[in-house]
C-alpha cells in the first residue's frame, strides 16, 4: 500500500544546529505515529517542515503520491494536512467561529457570510462530537476548550493527515483522556496522525508506531507492543534512564520554611488561599499535590514575594520574610523555579550567560564595585551549560533561541546552584523530556541531601509521589491532608485532590 | 463587566451631546448649523488621517509617519497642480505620493523588520526636510477644489444644513469612505484577515494567510488615504502649500484613533467632536470673548484631546501585534 505521508531524506539546519539530518518517515492511512525525542531533538522542526512553516534545506515530502512544494503552508493545507500547534494559534479577541473560519471563510463576494459560517461550525462540532460554543470569545475559554478549537480548525478542511505538536502539555489529566479518545476516533475514520509528545504513557496508550529522533537524526522505529516505557526512554536518550527516582531516606533537620495563617487572593480578587499553615524542614522534600487552580500558584507567588499576603506570615530560617519583595525573599535564601518560565523565569532577549546570573549579576564575583566582571560570568555560564547539559551552540546566544526544555534547564541551573535554604519548585519538569526530567529530579534530591528545604508543586501526581518525603494535598486553597511520602496510596490521594473526603 | 461599562459611558456621552445639539438648534438654528458644519469641516481631514492609522495598526503596523505622508503629498500635489495648471492631476499625484511614501514605510517595517517607530520618524523627518528645502514662494494653483451643496440631502431638516451644504469634496468623500472602511473591517474576508494579522499573525500564517501581503496592502491603502487628505488640504481647504502645514495633525489623528478604539466609526465620532471643539473656539474668538486670553481659547481642542485620552487611556486595548514585525517561529 502506498503510504499516506512520505518524508524522504529531509534535512534542515539553523545557524549552529543541524535540526533535521536526513530523516525519512512514512505515515499510513489511519495510523497513529508518535514522534518522540528529547527537547531540541528536531521534532517540531520536522512537523513544521511537513506543514510548510519551515522550508527544509533538502529532501522531499510526498502526500498521497504528490510532492508538496516546500515552505508553503497554503499548499500543505490544500493537500489535506492539518496541524494543531504547541502554542495555540488563535486570535484571543475573536469568536470561536471567526477563529475556525479564518483563512477559508464562507463568503458571498467579498463578504463573510456569518450565518453560514456559524452553521458550519456547529455542524463540524456535532460531527466530531467536540462541543464548543460558537459565539464565545476565545480568551474567555479554558485551555482545554481552546485546544478543541485548534483541532476543529484542522478538521474543518477534510484532512487526510493531522499533526499534533505536544498537544497534551497544557491539559489536565481528564482533558488528556478526552484528547486521546479524539485521536483514536479520527484514526479509526482513516486520518493519519503524527503527534509529538513527551509523555511516554500517552505513547503506549494510543500509538501504532513510534519514531524516535535524537540530535536531529532518526534513531529508530518501534511500537508499543515491542517495548515499554523504559525502552522508549532509553531510545530517546541513548542510555539507560531510570524512570523511578532513587533516593535515600531524608535526614530531616530544623524548620526552614514556616507558613502561618497565610491568606492570598487571586487575580480576580477572590480568595485563593485561606488560613494556610505549613512547615517544611531542612533536608526534606514536601510535595503539594492538587488539581491545578486550587491555589497552588497563588501560594507559591505569596511565598516568593510576588503576590500580596492578605494575612499571615512566611518565615524563612526563623526570620519573617518581606511581603511583595521578591528580591528581599531571595536574599533570605529562597530559590524559586517558577511555573511560567517564559514570564517569570527568564529574560528571553538576554543571553544564556546573563540569564544564568540573573539574580547575582551585581554580586561578587560577577561584579565588583558596580563594574561587571564578564570573564567570571562567562566562566560560570560555561560550567553550568556543561553541568546541566543545556543544548546550545554557545552561552552567548539569547535565551529565546533555546527549546522549552533547555530554557527550563537554565532556570533550574540558576536556582539550584546558589545553596539556598529553601527551594520552591513549581512544575519543575513541565514540557521537559524524560532525560532532563531524570536530571532535574536528581538535582532536587541532591539539594535536599545538601540540607535545603524543598517545596515541590506539581500537577503530575507521579512526580509528587516519586520525589516527596511528605505530601500535602491541597484543595480549594487549603491543605486537606498531609501524608507520609513512603507508600502513599495513589487512589487515596486522587480522591482527596478531587475534594472527596476519605 | 468592563465591556458593558464602556458601552454605558459611550451611550451617556452620545445622549448628552445630542441633547446639547438639539437644545442649541432650537435656541439658535443658524449659529448651531454653522458650528456643526465647521466642526465637520475641521474634523473630517483628521478623521480620514485617523483611518490611515487604523488601516495600519489593525494589521499590526504602527504608523507614526502619517504626518510626513500628508506633508509630502500636500507638497507634491500642490506643486504639480501649480506646474500642470490642473488640480485633478495634482490630487492624483498627491495620492500617488501617499502610496509611495507608505510603500517605503512598509518595506522598512514589514520586509526589513525595522523598528516601526523609527521608520515613522524617518518618514516625518524626511518629509519635513525635503518640503522645507524644496519650498518655493509665490506658486499658485489655477483654481481650488470647489465647495458645494448636495442637492437633496442638503434640504433635510436638522442634519441637512450642517452636514450636506457648503462642504468640500473631502468631507462628502469621507462620509462615504469611513463607513466603507468600517464595513470592510468587520464584514469582509479581507477585514477578518486584517484583524487576525494585527492580533496574532501566527494564527493567520498557520491558516494559510500571507501576513506580509495583508500588511503591505493595508499600509499602502492607508498611504493612499493619507495622500488624499494631504492633497485636499493644500488644494481645497487651505488652497496653498505652507511649510509644516500639517502642524501635528498626524499625531492628533493617532490620538483620535486611540480614542475611537481602533474602530473607524469611533475615530470618526472622536474627530468630529474634536472638530466641534475647534469650531467652538473659533466661534468664541469671533464673538470676541475678551476676558479670556486668545491663547487659551485656541488651546481648547488640544486640551480636549489630552483630557479625553487621559480619561479613556486605562481602558483601551490596541491590536495585540501592533508594533511587532512578524517572524516565523524557528526550531
Amino acid at each position: 500500500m502506498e503510504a499516506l505521508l512520505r518524508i524522504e531524506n529531509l534535512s534542515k539546519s539553523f545557524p549552529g544546529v543541524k535540526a533535521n539530518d536526513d530523516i525519512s518517515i512514512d505515515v499510513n492511512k489511519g495510523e497513529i505515529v508518535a514522534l518522540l525525542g528529547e527537547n531540541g531533538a528536531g521534532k517540531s522542526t520536522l512537523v513544521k517542515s511537513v506543514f510548510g512553516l519551515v522550508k527544509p534545506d533538502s529532501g522531499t515530502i510526498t502526500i498521497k503520491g504528490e510532492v508538496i512544494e516546500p515552505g508553503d503552508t497554503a499548499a500543505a493545507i490544500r493537500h489535506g494536512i492539518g496541524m494543531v500547534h504547541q502554542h495555540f494559534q488563535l486570535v484571543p479577541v475573536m469568536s470561536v467561529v471567526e477563529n475556525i473560519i479564518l483563512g477559508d471563510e464562507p463568503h458571498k463576494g467579498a463578504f463573510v457570510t456569518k450565518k453560514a459560517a456559524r452553521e458550519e461550525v456547529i455542524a463540524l462540532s456535532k460531527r466530531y462530537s467536540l462541543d464548543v460554543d460558537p459565539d464565545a470569545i476565545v480568551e474567555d475559554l479554558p485551555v482545554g476548550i481552546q485546544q478543541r478549537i485548534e483541532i476543529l480548525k484542522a478538521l474543518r478542511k477534510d484532512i487526510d493527515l493531522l499533526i499534533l505538536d505536544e498537544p497534551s502539555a497544557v491539559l489536565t489529566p481528564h482533558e488528556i483522556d478526552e484528547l486521546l479518545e479524539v485521536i483514536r476516533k479520527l484514526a479509526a475514520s482513516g486520518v493519519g496522525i503524527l503527534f509529538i509528545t513527551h509523555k511516554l504513557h500517552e505513547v503506549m496508550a494510543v500509538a501504532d508506531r513510534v519514531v524516535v529522533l535524537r540530535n536531529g537524526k532518526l534513531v529508530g522505529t518501534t511500537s508499543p507492543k515491542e517495548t515499554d516505557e523504559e525502552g522508549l526512554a532509553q531510545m530517546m536518550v541513548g542510555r539507560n534512564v531510570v524512570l523511578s527516582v532513587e533516593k535515600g531516606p531524608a535526614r530531616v533537620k530544623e524548620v526552614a520554611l514556616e507558613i502561618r495563617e497565610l491568606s492570598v487572593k487571586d487575580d480576580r480578587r477572590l480568595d485563593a488561599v485561606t488560613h494556610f499553615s505549613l512547615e517544611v524542614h531542612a533536608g526534606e522534600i514536601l510535595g503539594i499535590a492538587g488539581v491545578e487552580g486550587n491555589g497552588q500558584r497563588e501560594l507559591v507567588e505569596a511565598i516568593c514575594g510576588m503576590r500580596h499576603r492578605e494575612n499571615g506570615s512566611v518565615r524563612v530560617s526563623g526570620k519573617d520574610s518581606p511581603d511583595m519583595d521578591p528580591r528581599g525573599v531571595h536574599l533570605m535564601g529562597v530559590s524559586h523555579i517558577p511555573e511560567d518560565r517564559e514570564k517569570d523565569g527568564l529574560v528571553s532577549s538576554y543571553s544564556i550567560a546573563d540569564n544564568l546570573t540573573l539574580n547575582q549579576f551585581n554580586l561578587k564575583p560577577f561584579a565588583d564595585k558596580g563594574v561587571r566582571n564578564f570573564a567570571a560570568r562567562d566562566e560560570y555560564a560555561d560550567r553550568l551549560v556543561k553541568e546541566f547539559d543545556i543544548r546550545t551552540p554557545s552561552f552567548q546566544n539569547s535565551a529565546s533561541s533555546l527549546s522549552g526544555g533547555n530554557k527550563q534547564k537554565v532556570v533550574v541551573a540558576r536556582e539550584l546552584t546558589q545553596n539556598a535554604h529553601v527551594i520552591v519548585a513549581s512544575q519543575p519538569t513541565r514540557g521537559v523530556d524524560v532525560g532532563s526530567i531524570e536530571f532535574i529530579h536528581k538535582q532536587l534530591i541532591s539539594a535536599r541531601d545538601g540540607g535545603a528545604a524543598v517545596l515541590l508543586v506539581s500537577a503530575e501526581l507521579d512526580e509528587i509521589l516519586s520525589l516527596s518525603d511528605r505530601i500535602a494535598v491541597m484543595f480549594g486553597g487549603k491543605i486537606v491532608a498531609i501524608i507520609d511520602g513512603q507508600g502513599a496510596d495513589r487512589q487515596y490521594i486522587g480522591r482527596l485532590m478531587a475534594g472527596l473526603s476519605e | 463587566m468592563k465591556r458593558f461599562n464602556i458601552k454605558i459611558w459611550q451611550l451617556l456621552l452620545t445622549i448628552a451631546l445630542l441633547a446639547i445639539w438639539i437644545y442649541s438648534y432650537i435656541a439658535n438654528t443658524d449659529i448651531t448649523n454653522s458650528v456643526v458644519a465647521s466642526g465637520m469641516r475641521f474634523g473630517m481631514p483628521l478623521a480620514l488621517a485617523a483611518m490611515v492609522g487604523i488601516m495600519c495598526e489593525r494589521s499590526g503596523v504602527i504608523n507614526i509617519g502619517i504626518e510626513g505622508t500628508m506633508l509630502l503629498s500636500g507638497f507634491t500635489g500642490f506643486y504639480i497642480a501649480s506646474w500642470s495648471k490642473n488640480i485633478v492631476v495634482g490630487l492624483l499625484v498627491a495620492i500617488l505620493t501617499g502610496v509611495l511614501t507608505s510603500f517605503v514605510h512598509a518595506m522598512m517595517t514589514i520586509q526589513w523588520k525595522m523598528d516601526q517607530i523609527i521608520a515613522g520618524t524617518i518618514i516625518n523627518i524626511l518629509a519635513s526636510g525635503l518640503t522645507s528645502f524644496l519650498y518655493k514662494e509665490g506658486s499658485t494653483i489655477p483654481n481650488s477644489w470647489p465647495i458645494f451643496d448636495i442637492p437633496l440631502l442638503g434640504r433635510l431638516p436638522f442634519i441637512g444644513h450642517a452636514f450636506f451644504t457648503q462642504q468640500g469634496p473631502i468631507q462628502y468623500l469621507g462620509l462615504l469612505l469611513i463607513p466603507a472602511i468600517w464595513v470592510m473591517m468587520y464584514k469582509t474576508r479581507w477585514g477578518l484577515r486584517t484583524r487576525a494579522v494585527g492580533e496574532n499573525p501566527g494564527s493567520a500564517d498557520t491558516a494559510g494567510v500571507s501576513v506580509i501581503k495583508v500588511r503591505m496592502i493595508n499600509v499602502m491603502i492607508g498611504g493612499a488615504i493619507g495622500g488624499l487628505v494631504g492633497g485636499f488640504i493644500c488644494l481645497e481647504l487651505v488652497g496653498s502649500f505652507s511649510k509644516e502645514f500639517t502642524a501635528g495633525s498626524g499625531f492628533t489623528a493617532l490620538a483620535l484613533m486611540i480614542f475611537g478604539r481602533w474602530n473607524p466609526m469611533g475615530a470618526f465620532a472622536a474627530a468630529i467632536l474634536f472638530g466641534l471643539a475647534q469650531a467652538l473656539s473659533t466661534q468664541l474668538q469671533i464673538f470676541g470673548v475678551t476676558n479670556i486670553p486668545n491663547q487659551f481659547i485656541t488651546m481648547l481642542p488640544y486640551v480636549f484631546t489630552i483630557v479625553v485620552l487621559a480619561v479613556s487611556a486605562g481602558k483601551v486595548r490596541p491590536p495585540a501585534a501592533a508594533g511587532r514585525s512578524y517572524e516565523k517561529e524557528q526550531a
Side-chain angles (χ1 to χ4, degrees), chain A residues 14 85 89-91 93 102-103 105 107 110 112 139, chain B residues 3 187-189 193 199-200 202-203 206-207 317 330:
Chain A
F14 291 115
H85 300 267
Q89 296 295 354
L90 298 170
V91 184
V93 294
L102 180 65
E105 306 83 358
H107 60 279
V112 177
E139 64 185 346
Chain B
R3 284 174 207 167
K187 301 288 172 196
T188 68
R189 304 166 80 193
R193 291 171 179 199
E199 290 289 344
N200 180 2
S203 73
T206 50
R317 183 173 176 182
Q330 298 281 287

PDB file of all heavy atoms in Angstrom, chain A residues 14 85 89-91 93 102-103 105 107 110 112 139, chain B residues 3 187-189 193 199-200 202-203 206-207 317 330:
ATOM      1  N   PHE A  14      19.696  25.160  11.180  1.00  0.00           N
ATOM      2  CA  PHE A  14      19.597  26.540  11.648  1.00  0.00           C
ATOM      3  C   PHE A  14      21.011  26.940  12.026  1.00  0.00           C
ATOM      4  O   PHE A  14      21.848  26.070  12.254  1.00  0.00           O
ATOM      5  CB  PHE A  14      18.656  26.637  12.853  1.00  0.00           C
ATOM      6  CG  PHE A  14      17.226  26.387  12.509  1.00  0.00           C
ATOM      7  CD1 PHE A  14      16.558  25.293  13.013  1.00  0.00           C
ATOM      8  CD2 PHE A  14      16.557  27.257  11.659  1.00  0.00           C
ATOM      9  CE1 PHE A  14      15.227  25.051  12.683  1.00  0.00           C
ATOM     10  CE2 PHE A  14      15.231  27.019  11.333  1.00  0.00           C
ATOM     11  CZ  PHE A  14      14.571  25.927  11.841  1.00  0.00           C
ATOM     12  N   HIS A  85      -1.096  23.270  16.831  1.00  0.00           N
ATOM     13  CA  HIS A  85       0.213  23.787  17.228  1.00  0.00           C
ATOM     14  C   HIS A  85       0.419  23.729  18.728  1.00  0.00           C
ATOM     15  O   HIS A  85      -0.508  23.800  19.509  1.00  0.00           O
ATOM     16  CB  HIS A  85       0.374  25.225  16.740  1.00  0.00           C
ATOM     17  CG  HIS A  85       0.267  25.324  15.262  1.00  0.00           C
ATOM     18  ND1 HIS A  85       1.352  25.277  14.438  1.00  0.00           N
ATOM     19  CD2 HIS A  85      -0.810  25.408  14.449  1.00  0.00           C
ATOM     20  CE1 HIS A  85       0.953  25.341  13.188  1.00  0.00           C
ATOM     21  NE2 HIS A  85      -0.363  25.424  13.174  1.00  0.00           N
ATOM     22  N   GLN A  89      -2.596  28.766  18.051  1.00  0.00           N
ATOM     23  CA  GLN A  89      -2.596  29.850  17.079  1.00  0.00           C
ATOM     24  C   GLN A  89      -4.016  30.374  16.941  1.00  0.00           C
ATOM     25  O   GLN A  89      -4.677  30.168  15.935  1.00  0.00           O
ATOM     26  CB  GLN A  89      -2.050  29.355  15.732  1.00  0.00           C
ATOM     27  CG  GLN A  89      -0.610  28.923  15.803  1.00  0.00           C
ATOM     28  CD  GLN A  89       0.339  30.063  16.126  1.00  0.00           C
ATOM     29  OE1 GLN A  89      -0.051  31.225  16.198  1.00  0.00           O
ATOM     30  NE2 GLN A  89       1.600  29.760  16.332  1.00  0.00           N
ATOM     31  N   LEU A  90      -4.471  31.031  17.995  1.00  0.00           N
ATOM     32  CA  LEU A  90      -5.830  31.559  17.994  1.00  0.00           C
ATOM     33  C   LEU A  90      -5.776  33.063  18.209  1.00  0.00           C
ATOM     34  O   LEU A  90      -4.828  33.570  18.790  1.00  0.00           O
ATOM     35  CB  LEU A  90      -6.650  30.915  19.117  1.00  0.00           C
ATOM     36  CG  LEU A  90      -6.839  29.400  19.026  1.00  0.00           C
ATOM     37  CD1 LEU A  90      -7.449  28.867  20.310  1.00  0.00           C
ATOM     38  CD2 LEU A  90      -7.711  29.036  17.839  1.00  0.00           C
ATOM     39  N   VAL A  91      -6.811  33.752  17.731  1.00  0.00           N
ATOM     40  CA  VAL A  91      -6.907  35.181  17.998  1.00  0.00           C
ATOM     41  C   VAL A  91      -7.784  35.353  19.236  1.00  0.00           C
ATOM     42  O   VAL A  91      -8.976  35.101  19.188  1.00  0.00           O
ATOM     43  CB  VAL A  91      -7.527  35.927  16.800  1.00  0.00           C
ATOM     44  CG1 VAL A  91      -7.520  37.422  17.048  1.00  0.00           C
ATOM     45  CG2 VAL A  91      -6.760  35.591  15.525  1.00  0.00           C
ATOM     46  N   VAL A  93      -9.153  37.741  20.912  1.00  0.00           N
ATOM     47  CA  VAL A  93     -10.290  38.665  20.992  1.00  0.00           C
ATOM     48  C   VAL A  93     -11.416  38.304  20.032  1.00  0.00           C
ATOM     49  O   VAL A  93     -12.448  38.960  20.012  1.00  0.00           O
ATOM     50  CB  VAL A  93      -9.866  40.125  20.737  1.00  0.00           C
ATOM     51  CG1 VAL A  93      -8.947  40.609  21.845  1.00  0.00           C
ATOM     52  CG2 VAL A  93      -9.205  40.285  19.390  1.00  0.00           C
ATOM     53  N   LEU A 102     -11.118  31.401   9.787  1.00  0.00           N
ATOM     54  CA  LEU A 102     -10.040  32.250   9.288  1.00  0.00           C
ATOM     55  C   LEU A 102      -9.204  31.535   8.219  1.00  0.00           C
ATOM     56  O   LEU A 102      -8.780  30.415   8.399  1.00  0.00           O
ATOM     57  CB  LEU A 102      -9.125  32.671  10.452  1.00  0.00           C
ATOM     58  CG  LEU A 102      -7.948  33.565  10.079  1.00  0.00           C
ATOM     59  CD1 LEU A 102      -8.431  34.908   9.574  1.00  0.00           C
ATOM     60  CD2 LEU A 102      -7.021  33.752  11.266  1.00  0.00           C
ATOM     61  N   GLY A 103      -9.000  32.235   7.110  1.00  0.00           N
ATOM     62  CA  GLY A 103      -8.170  31.685   6.049  1.00  0.00           C
ATOM     63  C   GLY A 103      -8.976  31.047   4.937  1.00  0.00           C
ATOM     64  O   GLY A 103      -8.544  30.979   3.792  1.00  0.00           O
ATOM     65  N   GLU A 105     -12.873  31.529   4.539  1.00  0.00           N
ATOM     66  CA  GLU A 105     -14.134  31.980   5.083  1.00  0.00           C
ATOM     67  C   GLU A 105     -15.280  31.713   4.110  1.00  0.00           C
ATOM     68  O   GLU A 105     -15.139  31.951   2.918  1.00  0.00           O
ATOM     69  CB  GLU A 105     -14.071  33.489   5.362  1.00  0.00           C
ATOM     70  CG  GLU A 105     -12.920  33.936   6.245  1.00  0.00           C
ATOM     71  CD  GLU A 105     -11.600  34.136   5.479  1.00  0.00           C
ATOM     72  OE1 GLU A 105     -11.573  33.878   4.255  1.00  0.00           O
ATOM     73  OE2 GLU A 105     -10.611  34.534   6.100  1.00  0.00           O
ATOM     74  N   HIS A 107     -18.202  32.758   2.033  1.00  0.00           N
ATOM     75  CA  HIS A 107     -18.377  34.153   1.614  1.00  0.00           C
ATOM     76  C   HIS A 107     -19.307  34.275   0.413  1.00  0.00           C
ATOM     77  O   HIS A 107     -19.544  33.326  -0.322  1.00  0.00           O
ATOM     78  CB  HIS A 107     -17.028  34.740   1.235  1.00  0.00           C
ATOM     79  CG  HIS A 107     -16.358  34.002   0.101  1.00  0.00           C
ATOM     80  ND1 HIS A 107     -15.666  32.833   0.307  1.00  0.00           N
ATOM     81  CD2 HIS A 107     -16.298  34.258  -1.218  1.00  0.00           C
ATOM     82  CE1 HIS A 107     -15.208  32.406  -0.847  1.00  0.00           C
ATOM     83  NE2 HIS A 107     -15.575  33.234  -1.782  1.00  0.00           N
ATOM     84  N   ALA A 110     -17.061  39.644  -1.518  1.00  0.00           N
ATOM     85  CA  ALA A 110     -16.013  39.938  -0.542  1.00  0.00           C
ATOM     86  C   ALA A 110     -16.507  39.730   0.882  1.00  0.00           C
ATOM     87  O   ALA A 110     -15.736  39.764   1.818  1.00  0.00           O
ATOM     88  CB  ALA A 110     -15.529  41.375  -0.725  1.00  0.00           C
ATOM     89  N   VAL A 112     -18.099  38.090   4.316  1.00  0.00           N
ATOM     90  CA  VAL A 112     -18.179  36.849   5.065  1.00  0.00           C
ATOM     91  C   VAL A 112     -19.650  36.574   5.351  1.00  0.00           C
ATOM     92  O   VAL A 112     -20.363  37.457   5.821  1.00  0.00           O
ATOM     93  CB  VAL A 112     -17.417  36.975   6.401  1.00  0.00           C
ATOM     94  CG1 VAL A 112     -17.565  35.699   7.223  1.00  0.00           C
ATOM     95  CG2 VAL A 112     -15.956  37.285   6.163  1.00  0.00           C
ATOM     96  N   GLU A 139     -10.616  34.133  24.317  1.00  0.00           N
ATOM     97  CA  GLU A 139      -9.823  34.389  25.530  1.00  0.00           C
ATOM     98  C   GLU A 139     -10.588  34.071  26.816  1.00  0.00           C
ATOM     99  O   GLU A 139      -9.979  33.950  27.865  1.00  0.00           O
ATOM    100  CB  GLU A 139      -9.310  35.828  25.553  1.00  0.00           C
ATOM    101  CG  GLU A 139     -10.404  36.869  25.638  1.00  0.00           C
ATOM    102  CD  GLU A 139      -9.832  38.289  25.535  1.00  0.00           C
ATOM    103  OE1 GLU A 139      -8.616  38.450  25.666  1.00  0.00           O
ATOM    104  OE2 GLU A 139     -10.630  39.214  25.312  1.00  0.00           O
TER     105      GLU A 139
ATOM    106  N   ARG B   3     -16.629  45.589  29.498  1.00  0.00           N
ATOM    107  CA  ARG B   3     -17.160  45.935  28.180  1.00  0.00           C
ATOM    108  C   ARG B   3     -18.484  46.669  28.309  1.00  0.00           C
ATOM    109  O   ARG B   3     -18.747  47.626  27.629  1.00  0.00           O
ATOM    110  CB  ARG B   3     -17.369  44.662  27.368  1.00  0.00           C
ATOM    111  CG  ARG B   3     -16.055  44.121  26.860  1.00  0.00           C
ATOM    112  CD  ARG B   3     -16.262  42.794  26.187  1.00  0.00           C
ATOM    113  NE  ARG B   3     -15.010  42.053  26.304  1.00  0.00           N
ATOM    114  CZ  ARG B   3     -14.876  40.780  26.057  1.00  0.00           C
ATOM    115  NH1 ARG B   3     -15.902  40.091  25.658  1.00  0.00           N
ATOM    116  NH2 ARG B   3     -13.738  40.189  26.192  1.00  0.00           N
ATOM    117  N   LYS B 187     -16.969  43.197   8.100  1.00  0.00           N
ATOM    118  CA  LYS B 187     -17.910  42.338   7.387  1.00  0.00           C
ATOM    119  C   LYS B 187     -17.259  41.509   6.276  1.00  0.00           C
ATOM    120  O   LYS B 187     -17.890  40.610   5.745  1.00  0.00           O
ATOM    121  CB  LYS B 187     -19.041  43.184   6.754  1.00  0.00           C
ATOM    122  CG  LYS B 187     -19.848  43.990   7.757  1.00  0.00           C
ATOM    123  CD  LYS B 187     -20.741  43.103   8.585  1.00  0.00           C
ATOM    124  CE  LYS B 187     -21.381  43.884   9.707  1.00  0.00           C
ATOM    125  NZ  LYS B 187     -21.946  43.014  10.740  1.00  0.00           N
ATOM    126  N   THR B 188     -16.061  41.869   5.870  1.00  0.00           N
ATOM    127  CA  THR B 188     -15.488  41.164   4.730  1.00  0.00           C
ATOM    128  C   THR B 188     -14.392  40.193   5.159  1.00  0.00           C
ATOM    129  O   THR B 188     -13.891  40.243   6.273  1.00  0.00           O
ATOM    130  CB  THR B 188     -14.875  42.148   3.713  1.00  0.00           C
ATOM    131  OG1 THR B 188     -13.731  42.759   4.309  1.00  0.00           O
ATOM    132  CG2 THR B 188     -15.867  43.214   3.306  1.00  0.00           C
ATOM    133  N   ARG B 189     -14.035  39.325   4.217  1.00  0.00           N
ATOM    134  CA  ARG B 189     -12.959  38.363   4.473  1.00  0.00           C
ATOM    135  C   ARG B 189     -11.646  39.107   4.700  1.00  0.00           C
ATOM    136  O   ARG B 189     -10.862  38.768   5.564  1.00  0.00           O
ATOM    137  CB  ARG B 189     -12.786  37.444   3.266  1.00  0.00           C
ATOM    138  CG  ARG B 189     -14.038  36.724   2.886  1.00  0.00           C
ATOM    139  CD  ARG B 189     -13.879  36.130   1.500  1.00  0.00           C
ATOM    140  NE  ARG B 189     -13.114  34.883   1.544  1.00  0.00           N
ATOM    141  CZ  ARG B 189     -12.614  34.290   0.472  1.00  0.00           C
ATOM    142  NH1 ARG B 189     -12.769  34.836  -0.719  1.00  0.00           N
ATOM    143  NH2 ARG B 189     -11.956  33.171   0.575  1.00  0.00           N
ATOM    144  N   ARG B 193      -9.242  38.925   8.041  1.00  0.00           N
ATOM    145  CA  ARG B 193      -7.827  38.558   7.953  1.00  0.00           C
ATOM    146  C   ARG B 193      -6.940  39.683   8.466  1.00  0.00           C
ATOM    147  O   ARG B 193      -5.952  39.439   9.170  1.00  0.00           O
ATOM    148  CB  ARG B 193      -7.464  38.240   6.501  1.00  0.00           C
ATOM    149  CG  ARG B 193      -8.129  36.962   6.045  1.00  0.00           C
ATOM    150  CD  ARG B 193      -7.967  36.720   4.577  1.00  0.00           C
ATOM    151  NE  ARG B 193      -8.622  35.467   4.219  1.00  0.00           N
ATOM    152  CZ  ARG B 193      -8.364  34.802   3.105  1.00  0.00           C
ATOM    153  NH1 ARG B 193      -7.486  35.272   2.244  1.00  0.00           N
ATOM    154  NH2 ARG B 193      -8.988  33.683   2.855  1.00  0.00           N
ATOM    155  N   GLU B 199      -3.779  40.974  15.384  1.00  0.00           N
ATOM    156  CA  GLU B 199      -3.901  40.451  16.740  1.00  0.00           C
ATOM    157  C   GLU B 199      -2.911  39.317  16.992  1.00  0.00           C
ATOM    158  O   GLU B 199      -2.255  39.270  18.014  1.00  0.00           O
ATOM    159  CB  GLU B 199      -5.326  39.931  16.993  1.00  0.00           C
ATOM    160  CG  GLU B 199      -6.383  41.011  17.072  1.00  0.00           C
ATOM    161  CD  GLU B 199      -6.288  41.841  18.337  1.00  0.00           C
ATOM    162  OE1 GLU B 199      -5.615  41.416  19.289  1.00  0.00           O
ATOM    163  OE2 GLU B 199      -6.875  42.933  18.371  1.00  0.00           O
ATOM    164  N   ASN B 200      -2.878  38.366  16.082  1.00  0.00           N
ATOM    165  CA  ASN B 200      -1.976  37.224  16.226  1.00  0.00           C
ATOM    166  C   ASN B 200      -1.579  36.734  14.842  1.00  0.00           C
ATOM    167  O   ASN B 200      -2.238  35.877  14.263  1.00  0.00           O
ATOM    168  CB  ASN B 200      -2.682  36.114  17.018  1.00  0.00           C
ATOM    169  CG  ASN B 200      -1.801  34.901  17.205  1.00  0.00           C
ATOM    170  OD1 ASN B 200      -0.636  34.897  16.782  1.00  0.00           O
ATOM    171  ND2 ASN B 200      -2.323  33.868  17.825  1.00  0.00           N
ATOM    172  N   GLY B 202       0.568  34.794  13.831  1.00  0.00           N
ATOM    173  CA  GLY B 202       0.801  33.360  13.736  1.00  0.00           C
ATOM    174  C   GLY B 202      -0.457  32.594  13.357  1.00  0.00           C
ATOM    175  O   GLY B 202      -0.417  31.657  12.572  1.00  0.00           O
ATOM    176  N   SER B 203      -1.598  33.036  13.896  1.00  0.00           N
ATOM    177  CA  SER B 203      -2.846  32.336  13.595  1.00  0.00           C
ATOM    178  C   SER B 203      -3.207  32.494  12.125  1.00  0.00           C
ATOM    179  O   SER B 203      -3.709  31.578  11.497  1.00  0.00           O
ATOM    180  CB  SER B 203      -3.979  32.864  14.470  1.00  0.00           C
ATOM    181  OG  SER B 203      -4.369  34.150  14.040  1.00  0.00           O
ATOM    182  N   THR B 206      -0.640  30.314   9.982  1.00  0.00           N
ATOM    183  CA  THR B 206      -0.909  28.878  10.005  1.00  0.00           C
ATOM    184  C   THR B 206      -2.224  28.539   9.305  1.00  0.00           C
ATOM    185  O   THR B 206      -2.458  27.393   8.977  1.00  0.00           O
ATOM    186  CB  THR B 206      -0.969  28.337  11.449  1.00  0.00           C
ATOM    187  OG1 THR B 206      -1.852  29.179  12.201  1.00  0.00           O
ATOM    188  CG2 THR B 206       0.392  28.368  12.083  1.00  0.00           C
ATOM    189  N   ALA B 207      -3.069  29.555   9.077  1.00  0.00           N
ATOM    190  CA  ALA B 207      -4.304  29.301   8.335  1.00  0.00           C
ATOM    191  C   ALA B 207      -4.092  29.581   6.843  1.00  0.00           C
ATOM    192  O   ALA B 207      -5.045  29.627   6.079  1.00  0.00           O
ATOM    193  CB  ALA B 207      -5.440  30.156   8.883  1.00  0.00           C
ATOM    194  N   ARG B 317      -7.336  49.001  24.411  1.00  0.00           N
ATOM    195  CA  ARG B 317      -6.599  47.781  24.153  1.00  0.00           C
ATOM    196  C   ARG B 317      -6.251  47.746  22.669  1.00  0.00           C
ATOM    197  O   ARG B 317      -7.070  47.416  21.838  1.00  0.00           O
ATOM    198  CB  ARG B 317      -7.504  46.613  24.508  1.00  0.00           C
ATOM    199  CG  ARG B 317      -6.842  45.301  24.346  1.00  0.00           C
ATOM    200  CD  ARG B 317      -7.753  44.239  24.882  1.00  0.00           C
ATOM    201  NE  ARG B 317      -7.183  42.936  24.660  1.00  0.00           N
ATOM    202  CZ  ARG B 317      -7.802  41.823  25.002  1.00  0.00           C
ATOM    203  NH1 ARG B 317      -8.974  41.873  25.563  1.00  0.00           N
ATOM    204  NH2 ARG B 317      -7.247  40.670  24.777  1.00  0.00           N
ATOM    205  N   GLN B 330      10.994  29.716  14.926  1.00  0.00           N
ATOM    206  CA  GLN B 330      12.063  28.832  14.488  1.00  0.00           C
ATOM    207  C   GLN B 330      12.181  27.612  15.395  1.00  0.00           C
ATOM    208  O   GLN B 330      11.725  27.626  16.520  1.00  0.00           O
ATOM    209  CB  GLN B 330      13.395  29.594  14.501  1.00  0.00           C
ATOM    210  CG  GLN B 330      13.418  30.772  13.543  1.00  0.00           C
ATOM    211  CD  GLN B 330      13.655  30.347  12.120  1.00  0.00           C
ATOM    212  OE1 GLN B 330      14.750  29.977  11.755  1.00  0.00           O
ATOM    213  NE2 GLN B 330      12.632  30.367  11.298  1.00  0.00           N
TER     214      GLN B 330
END
